[in-house]
Amino acid sequence: MRNSLLTILVCIIASFINPVMAQQQIFKNYSLTDGLVSNTISRVYQDAKGFLWIGTLEGLSKYDGHSFTNYNTANGLSHNMVNDFYEAKNGRLYVALNNGAIDMINGNKVILKVGPSDAVVNHFINSSTGKVIVSTDRHGLQEFNEEKLTQPKQLFPHQTFLDIIWLNDSLFMTVEETSLKVFNRKYELFSQIIDKNIIRQDAIIYQDSKKRIWASTLKGLKLLNVPLQKNQPVSFVPLPAHFNLPLLNQVTITGMLEVADGTMWFTTSGGIIKINQDGTHETFTVKDGLPSNIINTIFQDKEKNLWFGTAAGLSKLVTRQSIWLHPIEDGFFENNYSCLLHPFKKNYFLVGTVKGTKIFNTLTGNFSPVVNSNNQNYFDVVKNSKSTQLICYYNLAIFDSARLIYKKILPLPLKYASRIITDKEGNLFLSQEGHLIFMSGKFQQNIIDYRITAFIIDKSGDLWAGTWANGLFRIRYSFSNSLFKIISISQFLPTENVRSLFEDSKGNIWAGTRYQGVYQFTKKEKDSFAIVNFDQKKGLTSNFIKGIREDANGNYWIAFYQGLDKLIATDSSYRIFNFSRVNNYFTSIVGMETDDNHLLWLATNDGLVKITDGEMEQLPPLPVYITKVFSHDSTYAVNAKKIQLNYRQNQLQFEFSSPGFINEKQLLYSYRLSGSADTAWTKPGNQNMVSYASLKPGNYNFEVRSLGWNGKWGMPETFNFIVNPPFWQTWWFISLAVFAILLLTFLFIKWREKNIKIIAEEKLKVQK
C-alpha cells in the first residue's frame, strides 16, 4: 500500500513538472491483442540474427517483425516466469526461469537443459575470457558452462545476488539484499557498501560510457564511487545537478540506458525520464502514448530502436527518425487552404491557429500570442527590408519583434486577399479571388484575372504565379515613375491545377499540382526550360502536392495531402523515398518550412511537427530468414540442406522474415521458386508467407530476399527440396517396365517363331 501511495504521489508531481519542450514522441505499442503471450513484460532480448525475445510473467514470446511465437508451460516451457536470456556462440538460446530451470530454444522446440532447482538464475553476464557468470537466489554466484551450473569457491555461497555488471576487465559489481559488492575474477571481495536503509533487494546498477556507476536505491538515483584499492568502501557521491530531479528521487527506478549521443533514459514505476546532454529533460507517461506508467525494463536493439517493457504491454520508440509533435489546443488551422508557418527570426516561427497568429519558440516549444493582434489569424507573411508584413482577409499589418505595430485597412477592391509577396523594392503582389494585383504605395494594377494559388519571385526578379486551373505563369515586369509595365508573360502547363511553388538553391523552379504530381523547371539556354515530372507512376505516394522544400543535402521534401515523400539526388535524377510510408507517419499537412538548423517543420491539424531526418533511405537490406517450412501434415527443419517429399506431399508453405523493427509493416520481400513453371522474382510486397500446391516431381530451390530502404536487394535465403515422382514414374520402374516389355516381346517372338516352325513341320508331314 505504501508503494502504491508513493506511485500516485509521484505521478501527481510529474504532472506539474514542465519538461524542456511541450512535445510528444510517437510510441508503437504491442499487447495481447497483437499476439504477445502476456502484457506483463519483464525482459527484452535480441539474438544474433536479430529476432526479439520478450520475457513475461506468463511465458515467452519471440517476435520476428510479423508475428509472435509464444512459449509457456502448455508447449514445453518449464516455468512461465522468465528471468533472463543467454545466447551461446553456437547460436543456442538459453532461458532462465523462475523455478530454477534453464531451457534451451532450438528451432521451434523447447529443450530442458538444467532442471528446476533452488539456484534460481537472476542474470547472466559474459566476461572477456568467455566465462559466463550468473547471479542466483540463495546460491551465490555461479558459472554456466556446457549447459550446466557450477559454483566456484567464494565467500558468500548461500547469498542471494540480483543485478550484476562488469566494471572493467578485473572487477564486477553485484546487488545483494542490503549491499553492493565488488568482486575480482577470483570471486574475492574487493569492496562493498552495506546500508539496509538505502539499498533495496531489487535495485539495479548501470555503468555509462563515462565510467559513472549508477544505482537505484530506496532513496532514488545514486551515483557510486568505487575505490581503486582493495578493502576500501564503495561510497555515494553527489549527483550532477540536472539528474537531481524529484521523479528520480521519489520513484522506483527499474531500468537505465545510455544511447549513442549521451542521452540517459530511466524507466520507473511512474513513467520514463529522458535526460539530454545539455541538461534538459523530458518525461513520458500514458498521456504521451505509453500503455502504462509502470515500466519494468528498457532495451535498445541493433537498429537503435528503444523497447520498453511495461505492466500493460510492450512499447517501441524509433530513435533513428525523430518525429516530434508540438500540440496546441483545438488544432492549428481553420481550413486546409489557408496557412501560416513562417520563420521570421532565428529559432522563431509565426504560426497560424484557430485562436489567432502565434509565435513559436523552437528552443522551448512554447507558443505565445502576437501582441496587439487581438487573436486575429493572418494567412500569409512576407519580409521586406524594414519589417515583416502579414496579410489577412481585410488588413495589411506591420509586425516587428513579436508585436503588431501597424494595421492598414486595404481598399475595398482588395477584400479577401489571401496571398502576399514582395519584390526587392518592397512592392507588393496580392492574390485576390480571381485576380493578381500589383500594389506600390497608392498605386495598384490588376495583372491577370485568374485565381492565384501560389507565387514566388525568383532570383532573377521574375514573378511566377500558379493558378487554380490555368497552369503556371512567369511574368517579367518593370515599375518606375509610378508606371507598372509587363515585359513578357509566359504560360506553362496551361491545363494544370497548381497548388505550390518553390525555388531551390540552384535556381530551379518546382511546381506542385493537384492531379499530376510535381514539375521541376531547369533553365536552359535562350530562356527555355527542361521540364521533368514526378508523379505516382514514378513512385510518388500522391499526385496532390501541398508543398516543396529543399534540405541541406540537396534533397527535396514533397508534402502531399496526408504525408511526405523525399526526392534523393542521384547522379542523373532523383530516387523517390516514401518517407511517410516507411515511418508510418501520415498527417494532414497544411504548411512546411525548414529552419536554420535544416530541420523540417510541418504545420498540421494536430499541431506543429519537427522532423530530424535520420536518412533512413541509406539503410541497406536486412538479412532475411526462412522461419518455417511446413505442409498440411508435417513441419520441416529450416536448416536442412535438402528435404525429399513423396508425390502425395506436393504442396509446401514457407514463412520468412527480416528482423527489422523500424517499421515492420513496410519491409518488402520478393521470392521465386526455381524449378517451377514461373521462375521470375515476384513484385516486392510485405507478405511473409507463400504456399505452393500441385508441385510436379522435380528439384526445387525456393529463394527469398528483402529490399533495403536504399533501393537495393539483399542476398537471398534459399531452401532446396525434391518432390519425388510416384514409383511408376521413377527411372528404375520405367527401366524395369521397358526391360519387361522387351523381354515379353522377345519371348513372344521366340514363341511365335517356334509355333510357326511347328506348323510348317506339320504341313510338311501332311504333304508327304
Side-chain angles (χ1 to χ4, degrees), residues 474-477 486-490:
R474 187 191 65 176
I475 302 169
R476 288 184 171 172
Y477 67 94
I486 295 178
I487 299 173
S488 65
I489 297 181
S490 303

Side-chain angles (χ1 to χ4, degrees), residues 475-603:
I475 302 169
R476 288 184 171 172
Y477 67 94
S478 65
F479 181 72
S480 61
N481 299 321
S482 299
L483 179 64
F484 179 82
K485 181 181 180 180
I486 295 178
I487 299 173
S488 65
I489 297 181
S490 303
Q491 187 180 21
F492 304 92
L493 316 174
T495 61
E496 298 291 355
N497 308 72
V498 178
R499 294 296 182 268
S500 55
L501 286 172
F502 176 70
E503 183 182 19
D504 65 23
S505 60
K506 303 177 184 68
N508 302 316
I509 304 298
W510 295 77
T513 72
R514 173 63 180 88
Y515 300 107
Q516 300 298 328
V518 63
Y519 289 87
Q520 180 197 44
F521 290 75
T522 303
K523 195 169 184 178
K524 299 168 61 179
E525 295 180 355
K526 297 182 181 180
D527 205 29
S528 61
F529 293 89
I531 304 175
V532 180
N533 175 237
F534 301 92
D535 58 8
Q536 284 181 307
K537 293 179 181 179
K538 294 184 178 180
L540 284 182
T541 301
S542 171
N543 281 335
F544 188 176
I545 308 304
K546 302 279 287 183
I548 308 106
R549 287 296 181 270
E550 182 181 13
D551 67 20
N553 297 321
N555 304 315
Y556 298 90
W557 293 86
I558 310 297
F560 52 90
Y561 196 68
Q562 287 292 326
L564 288 168
D565 283 340
K566 184 179 179 183
L567 299 185
I568 297 102
T570 63
D571 292 337
S572 57
S573 182
Y574 299 93
R575 179 169 70 89
I576 297 174
F577 178 67
N578 302 125
F579 177 89
S580 282
R581 178 182 64 79
V582 168
N583 288 277
N584 196 30
Y585 178 69
F586 297 93
T587 186
S588 181
I589 299 173
V590 289
M592 179 170 64
E593 286 292 345
T594 55
D595 65 11
D596 294 336
N597 299 317
H598 305 293
L599 299 174
L600 189 68
W601 292 87
L602 307 177

